[in-house]
Amino acid sequence: MDEQAAELRELMHKDKPESQTHHTRVIAITSGKGGVGKTSIALNMAIAYAQTGKKVILIDCDMGMANVNVMMSIVPQYNLMHVINGQKKMSEIIQSTEYGIQFVAGANGFSKIANLSSEELDNFAMQFNTLGNADIIIIDTGAGVADNVLKFIAAADEVYVVTTPEPTAITDAYGIIKIITTELSKDIKLNLLVNRAKSAEEAKKVSERIINIVGQFLNFKVHNIGFVYEDNVVQNSIARQKPFIIVSPSSKPAICIKHIVSRIEQVPVPETSGVSGFLKKFVGKK
């Protein structure tokens, strides 16, 4: 972990006064390449976490393709660059949504965070720290291994790596996991999510392949947190600019997301005929 990333993590996790002992989990959702559905996963998982009763803030930290707001049909007046530049406070740009989550918009040109001055870094982290009343903060990073992406990964408590069954996506997922474990830290909790799987069997093969290779060559344990089915409902929801977990809550992708979150949070989720059987088989349950 480079010096600035380490400083960012320390500032973002700075001890709070005794009157503010609330613990906030910071989750970074990332991918080795673009086009794997990372942002859609981040948005719908944020809503699923909120549906378990958690207070959730979603932050769009994609440096050049900030589009979480587009998926919710929101046109933000201010974004994270206004905070970094010291023009606005985080409390002034955070937005409530109709989906039970709060949202901080990103912006093109966000790559500037790779070269923040000490003053800008301290100001940004201090503003980030004001979000400590949330239960979960989900950071939608940019795809790939740019400096700004790695800084947020290094600062997070947990990292969800999204891939698809495509060979290039699998290769790139391994690549970013390798960089995280060899150049950042082996203390980061890494979780793997397979998106756009045609079947539970396909998803299981992909996750086992990546997990086994990482274990063999990097001597690191990656946790499998589940998969999301390939389904037209996802593209349809993007076209409608509404999250698929809201548009089609009983669809296969929505149920997959709910089951992933329920397993992580260890809370029950209503059983749904057909799909739950595949999910149980996927995680090795009878």
Side-chain angles (χ1 to χ4, degrees), residues 1-12 113-119 121-122 125 147 150-152 154-155 183-185:
M1 190 187 306
D2 67 31
E3 183 177 345
Q4 195 177 51
E7 183 181 356
L8 179 63
R9 178 175 177 81
E10 181 179 350
L11 289 167
M12 286 168 59
I113 199 167
N115 299 296
L116 293 182
S117 67
S118 295
E119 182 179 354
L121 182 70
D122 186 73
D147 284 348
L150 296 179
K151 280 180 171 60
F152 281 111
E183 297 185 18
L184 298 182
S185 171

Side-chain angles (χ1 to χ4, degrees), residues 97-110:
T97 73
E98 61 184 291
Y99 307 118
I101 64 173
Q102 290 184 298
F103 166 66
V104 175
N108 291 338
F110 195 68

Side-chain angles (χ1 to χ4, degrees), residues 29-39 140-145 149 153 159-163 169 172-173 176:
I29 298 184
T30 192
S31 63
K33 69 186 291 291
V36 299
K38 169 186 59 62
T39 296
D140 178 29
T141 77
V145 294
V149 174
I153 289 174
V159 178
Y160 298 168
V161 178
V162 179
T163 188
D172 289 338
I176 195 168

Side-chain angles (χ1 to χ4, degrees), residues 208-281:
E208 287 181 345
R209 178 180 175 187
I210 295 174
I211 289 170
N212 290 338
I213 293 174
V214 170
Q216 180 180 353
F217 292 102
L218 303 179
N219 192 30
F220 187 86
K221 174 64 175 177
V222 175
H223 303 273
N224 167 32
I225 58 171
F227 75 99
V228 176
Y229 276 108
E230 171 77 29
D231 197 298
N232 288 335
V233 71
V234 176
Q235 290 304 317
N236 292 339
S237 70
I238 292 174
R240 291 178 60 181
Q241 293 182 276
K242 287 184 176 292
F244 63 75
I245 199 171
I246 299 296
V247 173
S248 301
S250 60
S251 65
K252 287 184 176 181
I255 293 169
C256 287
I257 290 289
K258 292 174 185 178
H259 272 264
I260 290 170
V261 169
S262 71
R263 286 174 54 209
I264 295 172
E265 294 299 300
Q266 298 182 334
V267 295
V269 65
E271 294 292 337
T272 302
S273 177
V275 176
S276 61
F278 281 104
L279 294 167
K280 287 181 179 180
K281 183 177 180 181

